[in-house]
Amino acid sequence: LQRADTSRHNLVSPSGFIFHESRVGSTLVANMLAVDVDNLVHSEASAPISLVSRCNVSSDVKVQLLRLLLRLMSNSQSHKRTFFKFQSTNAIYLRVYQQAFPDVPWVFLFREPVDVLQSNLKHGPEYAPCLRFRSRPTQQHNAFLHKASLSLSSLSNEEACAVHVTVLSTSALNAIDASGGKGIAVNYEDLKTVLTQKVFPYHFGYAATAEVQKRQEEEGGQYSKARSAGVSFNGDSEEKRKTANSKVKDASENIARSVYNSLNANALQFKTNNNIPHNIVSDRKEQVKTNGHFEYAKEETLKGEYLPYPPLRLLTEILTEWPPSEMDIPSLSHIRDGSLEVLDFSLEKDFERAKVLRLHEIPFKIRNVPFISDTVSKWSSDAYLINQFGNAQLPVTVSNSNKFRVCVCVCV
């Protein structure tokens, strides 16, 4: 961390965060932001939630790591702004995000509880995102259950789903109260109007061109889960409430209604306030320049120094030389050694070179990275794995051939 932190002067902060309950239109918001080619939008990346929920480090170190991670993910030569749409469970750890980025504006998307439960449970409890916490409840889940005098083992699926949604929403509501206006609640029912008219220009602080805003509004009319098919977005709230059974309705009213009402009051206040101050986020490259940070190298400079690099080859040629069924690396030098520049993390000259290549988004290999070596050592230890996972039942994917491979990135 100390070594990586020396490059923080080359990094910039994100422009806005999107937290949500799940099944509340968050993908639609991300798609609308992504319409603007100047916006880099990360949608439900796995690294942030792995860091905030699984890294066994002190709070201060976790905040530093999160700040470094999101700034690294925000670092792009070809974009002016970066937005993050997080996985819904990140809302539980909103205070960590606030500590890492107190000045970054964010929204929390919520919806009528009946609609959320219906959407989560529509494919059966085994596929319901809101029930995943049952195997590993967080401290926040346990605290809520204790305060409400509820037992997790005795809850119905509908009640457990309502508990999870309430925990997410309560965490967001508390964070909004402590945000000084940087955090706001946005109701699903208002997405089509409030996003382009207020959230984007006022809260996130960037003014889209008339053409981009028109395209964003068109994107807002598309069903986010079926964009390629051109399916129009039509609200299904009325249908969900008509088809909801009594268990869903009771769980929504008895468990999730109170926090929904509080979030809705905040959303209405923002929606009806005509004197909202702009959270101005200046042009990203100008922001870097005025803060005394690095300036991007001109494109022609990079072209003259690096291109053609790395050499490009047809995938069909590579697969012919190295069939997917072969686990061993072929002895061919261009495959065994690769075509990327190889750097040594422990050498100051190589480390500085790596920062330059990373800045300009030039691929390279780097070796002898201490914390990666430490991770490999940990995950090679049976004792460490048993300590991390215990006796929990976890899904395992089995393949009878070498043609199915999975790369898992874990923060430890």
Side-chain angles (χ1 to χ4, degrees):
L1 175 61
Q2 290 176 348
R3 185 66 180 274
D5 196 41
T6 61
S7 64
R8 67 183 184 278
H9 60 281
N10 285 342
L11 307 176
V12 296
S13 294
S15 306
F17 296 150
I18 303 161
F19 298 92
H20 56 99
E21 290 178 333
S22 86
R23 310 304 172 96
V24 292
S26 61
T27 302
L28 181 72
V29 179
N31 291 344
M32 290 175 68
L33 285 168
V35 163
D36 192 332
V37 295
D38 287 332
N39 294 340
L40 172 62
V41 181
H42 291 283
S43 188
E44 305 210 357
S46 60
I49 187 61
S50 294
L51 195 160
V52 297
S53 66
R54 298 174 186 170
C55 282
N56 186 23
V57 294
S58 69
S59 298
D60 290 342
V61 173
K62 184 174 291 187
V63 168
Q64 292 179 55
L65 285 171
L66 181 64
R67 186 180 296 127
L68 179 61
L69 171 65
L70 298 194
R71 283 179 174 173
L72 284 170
M73 294 176 70
S74 299
N75 193 27
S76 170
Q77 185 179 354
S78 55
H79 298 89
K80 297 179 180 179
R81 296 167 292 270
T82 307
F83 295 94
F84 288 83
K85 193 264 281 194
F86 296 111
Q87 296 176 24
S88 60
T89 310
N90 280 274
I92 294 176
Y93 308 95
L94 240 162
R95 289 298 180 90
V96 182
Y97 287 90
Q98 285 182 302
Q99 291 173 0
F101 298 98
D103 296 324
V104 173
W106 55 273
V107 299
F108 180 75
L109 310 180
F110 70 101
R111 190 177 183 181
E112 164 65 40
V114 170
D115 303 346
V116 179
L117 266 62
Q118 280 286 85
S119 186
N120 269 268
L121 297 167
K122 67 179 180 180
H123 295 303
E126 62 272 22
Y127 299 107
C130 63
L131 298 180
R132 294 171 186 162
F133 82 98
R134 285 191 119 162
S135 60
R136 297 184 71 177
T138 65
Q139 292 180 352
Q140 292 85 345
H141 287 100
N142 290 329
F144 177 83
L145 292 168
H146 178 74
K147 184 177 180 180
S149 299
L150 296 173
S151 171
L152 181 58
S153 60
S154 63
L155 294 178
S156 66
N157 290 326
E158 294 79 7
E159 290 170 331
C161 189
V163 165
H164 180 66
V165 171
T166 302
V167 168
L168 298 181
S169 300
T170 301
S171 177
L173 183 62
N174 292 336
I176 288 172
D177 291 341
S179 71
K182 291 297 181 181
I184 59 170
V186 176
N187 196 318
Y188 169 88
E189 302 295 340
D190 300 325
L191 288 182
K192 282 190 175 182
T193 56
V194 78
L195 288 176
T196 56
Q197 295 177 16
K198 286 198 170 184
V199 174
F200 293 171
Y202 290 94
H203 192 62
F204 284 156
Y206 86 92
T209 64
E211 179 184 354
V212 167
Q213 185 170 343
K214 179 181 178 182
R215 288 167 53 208
Q216 287 177 333
E217 290 171 351
E218 292 173 351
E219 184 68 35
Q222 296 288 319
Y223 178 46
S224 60
K225 306 297 185 184
R227 296 167 69 199
S228 60
V231 179
S232 299
F233 172 78
N234 295 302
D236 57 355
S237 298
E238 184 177 351
E239 179 65 21
K240 279 182 166 57
R241 292 164 202 173
K242 282 183 179 179
T243 58
N245 60 38
S246 59
K247 289 184 177 181
V248 169
K249 293 179 179 178
D250 289 346
S252 299
E253 289 300 317
N254 298 333
I255 298 174
R257 176 60 57 191
S258 177
V259 69
Y260 169 85
N261 290 340
S262 297
L263 286 170
N264 198 41
N266 178 272
L268 286 172
Q269 183 179 12
F270 176 80
K271 178 183 176 181
T272 58
N273 185 359
N274 294 320
N275 298 307
I276 305 172
H278 282 68
N279 282 323
I280 294 298
V281 177
S282 59
D283 182 286
R284 195 164 170 276
K285 294 181 181 178
E286 286 298 319
Q287 180 186 31
V288 171
K289 184 177 179 181
T290 56
N291 286 345
H293 296 172
F294 66 88
E295 292 194 37
Y296 293 106
K298 291 183 178 180
E299 193 171 320
E300 55 269 24
T301 303
L302 280 179
K303 183 176 180 180
E305 186 173 353
Y306 295 113
L307 297 181
Y309 167 82
L312 302 179
R313 300 184 63 224
L314 292 174
L315 179 60
T316 52
E317 295 178 2
I318 297 174
L319 293 178
T320 299
E321 295 173 342
W322 188 5
S325 59
E326 296 294 331
M327 291 293 290
D328 296 329
I329 300 176
S331 59
L332 299 172
S333 60
H334 58 277
I335 293 181
R336 183 186 67 246
D337 301 328
S339 58
L340 300 182
E341 188 170 349
V342 181
L343 304 170
D344 191 323
F345 186 90
S346 63
L347 301 178
E348 187 66 28
K349 181 180 179 181
D350 281 12
F351 183 72
E352 292 301 319
R353 171 73 169 165
K355 289 196 293 184
V356 172
L357 293 176
R358 182 189 66 188
L359 167 64
H360 297 298
E361 301 180 9
I362 304 297
F364 60 92
K365 294 180 182 179
I366 191 161
R367 295 173 176 169
N368 297 326
V369 182
F371 44 86
I372 294 180
S373 300
D374 182 52
T375 299
V376 172
S377 176
K378 287 181 178 179
W379 282 80
S380 299
S381 166
D382 290 344
Y384 179 81
L385 294 177
I386 292 172
N387 182 59
Q388 289 293 307
F389 295 103
N391 296 319
Q393 297 294 313
L394 301 172
V396 176
T397 301
V398 178
S399 173
N400 294 323
S401 70
N402 296 329
K403 295 185 178 181
F404 181 76
R405 301 172 188 172
V406 179
C407 176
V408 180
C409 298
V410 181
C411 175
V412 293

